[in-house]
Amino acid sequence: MLNIKYLLVFVLVIILFTILSPFLNYKNLPKIFIVTSASMEPAIKSGSLVFTKSVDPKLLKVGDIIAFSSPNNSKDFILHRVNQIKSSSPLHFATKGDNNNVLDQWDVTDLGVKGLYIFSLPYFGKIIAFVRQPLGFILIICIPAILLIISELFKIKNILDKKNHFKIIILLIIFTFGLSLNNIQKISAQYSSESTLSKLSFSIGDFISPESSLNLEDIYTQNLRDFKINATATDNISVSKIQLYYSYNYGPWLLFPDVINADNGFFHFTSPLGDGLYSFESLATDISNNIEVKYFDTFNNQIKVDTIAPTTNLNNFSLSTHIDNGQDYLINGNFENGMTGWTVGSSIGDHHLINEIGTSNSVFILGSDTKSTNGTDSLYQTISLPASASSTLNFSFRFFSHDTADFDHFNVNLVDLSGNNILKNILNFGNLSSDDFDYDSGWQNLSQSLLPFSGQNFKLYFSLTDTGEGDNFNSYVYLDNIKISTLDARVGETTVVNFLTFDLGSELLDTTPDFNLNLGENVLNYGATDSSDNSESNHQQSIVVLPNIVLNKISQNNIFLYNNSDDFIDLNNYTYTIDNSSPLLFTNPISLPNSCLVKLFDQQNNLLDSVAITDLNSTFWQRATDGLGPWVKINNSPSFNLESRLSVSKITLTVSGLSSTLPDMSYAIDYTDSSGQQEIYGQISGNSSGFSSRDFYLGTCSTGGTCLPSTGIGSSFIVTFSNLPSQTFILN
């Protein structure tokens, strides 16, 4: 009987020492902790009792297992292996859990080291944790202690005299026992938002922890940033609260501020980091302050938030220079004159001019070609469009990436003047190939109609986002040839026209179909939808298909032709006539009368083009090189012409003679429609030859993409140039 009592006392002392060990400040005493997670498995099991000893941090070496204070809360402890000694003065360690995939996201200093791992006892930690529960404390500590005390008291009672010594001893025992209970401290395991996956922390907690789970209702992709997540938890006693943690694009775990103060309920998640891939885990706490122990897995409970519609642009890589004609509303889009007109919207990244490899052409770089920028680098310019302009945005880019689109991407947007609200997404582009971390898009030349933004002021915004996950995962983009042209896209008869659709958030479902283009004016409607049911606003794009070869300039002794295709054309296969003459070859000498009708035929004798001209003795006639605009008589002073395109609610103004002494001229075009008198006004600039064309849309366009043409348009248009007499054109 005596041996059993001594054994019981010994066990009680060991348990009491284990409970109080973390609070003892004596250097040479071993400290004992309970492992509450699996990041050191298989070397150290979750629920083990771990013994550590005091150690001089300078004597530590790679491979040692150390206990150290949590960088997030000095009252919490972590047990991980020394992976690297990063510096000796000051002393810094890199640590890692054996069961973790990556290094800890902190450095441990010599002041943070609390002990060197000696050995562990599997499952003993669970016994100690059970003792800290009310039921465990009563069964393991109180009842054996009371039985032992009662047994000894009866022996003492027989020895003591019959005075009040026995009562005094009983009172002292009760007082001491109550005082010891009051002085026992509690330590709870706190989850750190800085940890990667799970980490090994220490807690003197309950053995029976609550358990929680999430129900995402089988949703993976969805187009709402605000949605509900159902959470439930169970416990042997009662659940106090459930907390929600989220990881954005496989990043660190973050605590969502809302809490469910019950064993079930809904989190109203608001996607605080915007569109992207969110992973979720729940953590429950019971009324005894026991915190759930759980392995946080970023590949579980995922929802991809995608609220951005796809972007579709005309791929004008093969449109040659036709799109550059007309007036340009953007300053220095080729960057040869430095940064005139542009504003850099960030302090990170390279954002400077460089010469394109192998050329003297200056291009602009967003991001960095040497390191990750950890943010968004941007460039913008404020644009003002006339109310009646038929404008098109054209730009070229080349995107380089060593990371995937979830982390690094390139965006082109129209935003309001505050720079905060997006009016239109022009392009969302990134590396969608998870197997290629040396991605090069090559030069892409895209075109987007700006008809819905006629008469508005906005910012044209280019931005490159690089999350800065490491210098080896950087991304950057080259920009060049940015124009907002007033001339519709013009293509040759054999030009292949296609559209490029991009979507970073989810899979594309419906994309722009192929179009059969006809000679002349083509108005295309296009858009796309992704698997998150985000539908792109329907676009309207005007494309003019030109014959492969057209009449361009005519003088008394010359007929000039223009080749709209990229192919070689043998003029021996083409003929022309003067008035009603027989077909003539271009190899013969040309002599035209003062007034005549010139017709152009192909090898099958099909009529391609014709023009009636006069006054060839004193001047010559010319039109835009693409052959679309009206003919203008060229002499020593500026002249102009107006062409009807009323079938598509447009007119084309052509002007010549804008010399270096007269680089541009103000104009006004007056006409009537069903609303009354209308006027289009502005300035037109010439190109290097002093010759230019410009398109005008006769109608109104809303920001939602709907363009309503004017009705009841009269046939009379009066064009007035500064310092020149007005001229009336009758258009049908």
Side-chain angles (χ1 to χ4, degrees):
M1 183 67 179
L2 182 61
N3 292 335
I4 296 177
K5 292 179 182 179
Y6 288 155
L7 179 61
L8 184 58
V9 171
F10 176 76
V11 171
L12 292 174
V13 170
I14 291 297
I15 293 175
L16 184 62
F17 175 77
T18 302
I19 294 174
L20 298 178
S21 171
F23 306 101
L24 300 177
N25 294 320
Y26 298 102
K27 277 190 173 182
N28 297 325
L29 285 177
K31 292 190 178 182
I32 307 172
F33 302 97
I34 296 173
V35 180
T36 61
S37 67
S39 68
M40 283 299 293
E41 291 186 353
I44 303 173
K45 300 288 186 182
S46 177
S48 298
L49 200 63
V50 168
F51 292 80
T52 66
K53 67 176 182 179
S54 178
V55 65
D56 184 352
K58 295 180 181 179
L59 301 178
L60 292 175
K61 58 185 182 299
V62 173
D64 287 340
I65 301 175
I66 60 173
F68 54 90
S69 299
S70 168
N72 302 309
N73 188 343
S74 61
K75 296 181 180 180
D76 290 343
F77 302 99
I78 301 170
L79 188 72
H80 276 179
R81 194 181 299 275
V82 176
N83 186 270
Q84 179 186 356
I85 300 176
K86 302 182 73 172
S87 65
S88 57
S89 181
L91 194 56
H92 279 216
F93 303 96
T95 57
K96 176 182 175 295
D98 290 356
N99 200 28
N100 289 348
N101 294 328
V102 295
L103 293 175
D104 297 333
Q105 296 179 351
W106 56 69
D107 288 346
V108 178
T109 65
D110 53 350
L111 298 178
V113 176
K114 300 303 179 184
L116 175 67
Y117 167 79
I118 306 174
F119 67 93
S120 63
L121 298 174
Y123 309 112
F124 272 69
K126 296 182 179 181
I127 298 174
I128 301 302
F130 179 66
V131 172
R132 288 300 307 272
Q133 296 186 64
L135 178 60
F137 189 81
I138 293 173
L139 294 177
I140 304 300
I141 300 294
C142 294
I143 293 178
I146 291 173
L147 292 176
L148 180 62
I149 291 171
I150 292 174
S151 174
E152 294 301 320
L153 286 178
F154 276 109
K155 291 182 179 181
I156 295 173
K157 182 176 182 300
N158 294 330
I159 298 173
L160 295 175
D161 56 24
K162 295 183 180 181
K163 297 181 181 180
N164 290 327
H165 296 158
F166 179 75
K167 294 181 180 179
I168 293 173
I169 291 174
I170 294 296
L171 291 174
L172 287 173
I173 291 172
I174 295 173
F175 175 79
T176 304
F177 183 75
L179 184 62
S180 65
L181 285 179
N182 187 60
N183 288 333
I184 295 177
Q185 301 183 40
K186 292 183 177 180
I187 299 178
S188 59
Q190 298 294 322
Y191 184 82
S192 168
S193 64
E194 297 295 327
S195 64
T196 303
L197 298 177
S198 68
K199 69 183 183 185
L200 192 60
S201 59
F202 302 91
S203 171
I204 310 298
D206 288 347
F207 170 66
I208 303 178
S209 300
E211 296 181 355
S212 64
S213 61
L214 298 174
N215 180 15
L216 301 183
E217 300 179 356
D218 297 326
I219 300 174
Y220 180 68
T221 61
Q222 53 116 54
N223 58 5
L224 295 175
R225 291 190 179 183
D226 192 347
F227 54 92
K228 294 193 299 183
I229 299 176
N230 177 243
T232 58
T234 58
D235 186 65
N236 62 317
I237 303 175
S238 179
V239 174
S240 171
K241 64 180 179 180
I242 307 175
Q243 294 173 292
L244 180 68
Y245 288 86
Y246 65 94
S247 170
Y248 177 74
N249 286 343
Y250 302 105
W253 288 95
L254 305 172
L255 177 63
F256 191 63
D258 292 353
V259 176
I260 297 175
N261 294 307
D263 60 2
N264 69 87
F266 290 94
F267 290 102
H268 293 273
F269 192 70
T270 56
S271 305
L273 297 179
D275 282 17
L277 183 63
Y278 289 87
S279 303
F280 300 97
E281 289 286 3
S282 59
L283 210 61
T285 305
D286 64 18
I287 60 174
S288 300
N289 205 32
N290 301 310
I291 298 177
E292 180 181 9
V293 178
K294 180 183 289 187
Y295 179 82
F296 278 32
D297 187 354
T298 53
F299 293 96
N300 285 338
N301 300 322
Q302 291 184 329
I303 288 183
K304 177 170 280 190
V305 177
D306 177 18
T307 63
I308 300 176
T311 58
T312 304
N313 293 270
L314 172 64
N315 179 15
N316 55 36
F317 185 82
S318 58
L319 301 192
S320 186
T321 59
H322 304 310
I323 58 172
D324 297 334
N325 295 331
Q327 186 171 0
D328 190 2
Y329 288 109
L330 185 140
I331 301 173
N332 192 26
N334 289 330
F335 300 108
E336 278 78 4
N337 297 320
M339 290 301 298
T340 304
W342 292 101
T343 300
V344 175
S346 63
S347 59
I348 63 173
D350 288 340
H351 48 69
H352 61 251
L353 294 175
I354 64 173
N355 285 335
E356 185 182 355
I357 298 174
T359 73
S360 59
N361 183 41
S362 294
V363 297
F364 189 85
I365 179 174
L366 284 178
S368 172
D369 57 356
T370 58
K371 63 181 180 179
S372 294
T373 56
N374 194 22
T376 299
D377 192 12
S378 60
L379 180 76
Y380 67 87
Q381 185 170 152
T382 300
I383 307 297
S384 298
L385 292 183
S388 299
S390 172
S391 303
T392 301
L393 168 66
N394 306 283
F395 62 95
S396 302
F397 75 91
R398 185 177 181 182
F399 179 76
F400 302 85
S401 180
H402 302 289
D403 210 337
T404 60
D406 287 335
F407 302 94
D408 298 355
H409 43 84
F410 170 55
N411 298 88
V412 182
N413 310 101
L414 303 184
V415 301
D416 62 12
L417 294 182
S418 70
N420 297 320
N421 299 311
I422 295 179
L423 303 177
K424 182 176 180 59
N425 291 308
I426 301 293
L427 179 66
N428 298 315
F429 189 86
N431 177 21
L432 296 177
S433 174
S434 59
D435 299 327
D436 186 2
F437 284 84
D438 292 300
Y439 179 78
D440 180 357
S441 70
W443 279 106
Q444 303 282 335
N445 302 315
L446 302 182
S447 179
Q448 177 80 216
S449 173
L450 298 183
L451 270 177
F453 300 94
S454 298
Q456 296 190 44
N457 300 325
F458 53 85
K459 290 181 179 179
L460 174 61
Y461 214 93
F462 297 86
S463 63
L464 187 283
T465 298
D466 186 342
T467 58
E469 291 296 325
D471 289 348
N472 294 329
F473 298 100
N474 61 309
S475 298
Y476 54 101
V477 65
Y478 290 158
L479 295 174
D480 200 17
N481 297 321
I482 306 172
K483 288 183 177 293
I484 295 182
S485 174
T486 60
L487 206 64
D488 291 331
R490 286 144 164 79
V491 300
E493 188 175 2
T494 59
T495 303
V496 177
V497 176
N498 58 72
F499 290 84
L500 295 181
T501 301
F502 303 97
D503 188 76
L504 299 185
S506 49
E507 181 184 4
L508 288 168
L509 293 182
D510 299 323
T511 58
T512 301
D514 295 332
F515 292 99
N516 294 320
L517 300 181
N518 301 314
L519 280 174
E521 188 105 21
N522 295 265
V523 179
L524 309 181
N525 293 292
Y526 59 95
T529 303
D530 63 21
S531 60
S532 295
D533 203 27
N534 297 301
S535 295
E536 186 180 15
S537 298
N538 199 45
H539 303 297
Q540 192 176 73
Q541 180 81 44
S542 179
I543 300 178
V544 180
V545 179
L546 308 171
N548 286 343
I549 187 169
V550 293
L551 296 170
N552 172 235
K553 180 180 177 181
I554 296 178
S555 65
Q556 198 169 34
N557 297 312
N558 290 284
I559 296 177
F560 295 87
L561 306 178
Y562 186 81
N563 182 5
N564 277 311
S565 72
D566 296 324
D567 301 326
F568 173 78
I569 293 180
D570 185 359
L571 290 183
N572 289 324
N573 297 322
Y574 291 82
T575 59
Y576 69 97
T577 62
I578 303 173
D579 294 328
N580 293 318
S581 70
S582 59
L584 303 171
L585 297 176
F586 285 97
T587 55
N588 297 327
I590 295 174
S591 178
L592 302 179
N594 185 51
S595 300
C596 61
L597 173 65
V598 179
K599 295 182 179 180
L600 175 68
F601 299 89
D602 64 10
Q603 55 268 44
Q604 283 80 35
N605 205 33
N606 296 316
L607 178 64
L608 298 180
D609 201 2
S610 66
V611 61
I613 51 179
T614 59
D615 300 329
L616 281 183
N617 290 333
S618 59
T619 184
F620 63 91
W621 289 78
Q622 186 178 353
R623 63 176 173 180
T625 54
D626 53 33
L628 182 72
W631 290 86
V632 176
K633 183 167 63 174
I634 306 298
N635 46 40
N636 294 327
S637 62
S639 59
F640 52 90
N641 206 340
L642 197 68
E643 181 186 34
S644 171
R645 299 171 65 196
L646 297 182
S647 61
V648 289
S649 302
K650 294 179 182 178
I651 55 176
T652 297
L653 175 67
T654 304
V655 62
S656 66
L658 297 178
S659 64
S660 58
T661 58
L662 189 63
D664 52 63
M665 297 185 67
S666 299
Y667 62 84
I669 304 174
D670 293 283
Y671 68 99
T672 59
D673 61 15
S674 57
S675 300
Q677 190 70 27
Q678 305 293 338
E679 184 177 62
I680 302 171
Y681 56 89
Q683 284 188 323
I684 192 168
S685 301
N687 54 27
S688 59
S689 64
F691 194 90
S692 186
S693 293
R694 180 174 175 188
D695 292 343
F696 298 98
Y697 180 76
L698 306 181
T700 59
C701 293
S702 68
T703 57
T706 302
C707 296
L708 299 177
S710 297
T711 58
I713 299 175
S715 60
S716 178
F717 288 75
I718 301 175
V719 180
T720 304
F721 269 90
S722 54
N723 303 320
L724 291 177
S726 298
Q727 186 173 339
T728 300
F729 296 87
I730 306 299
L731 304 181
N732 297 319

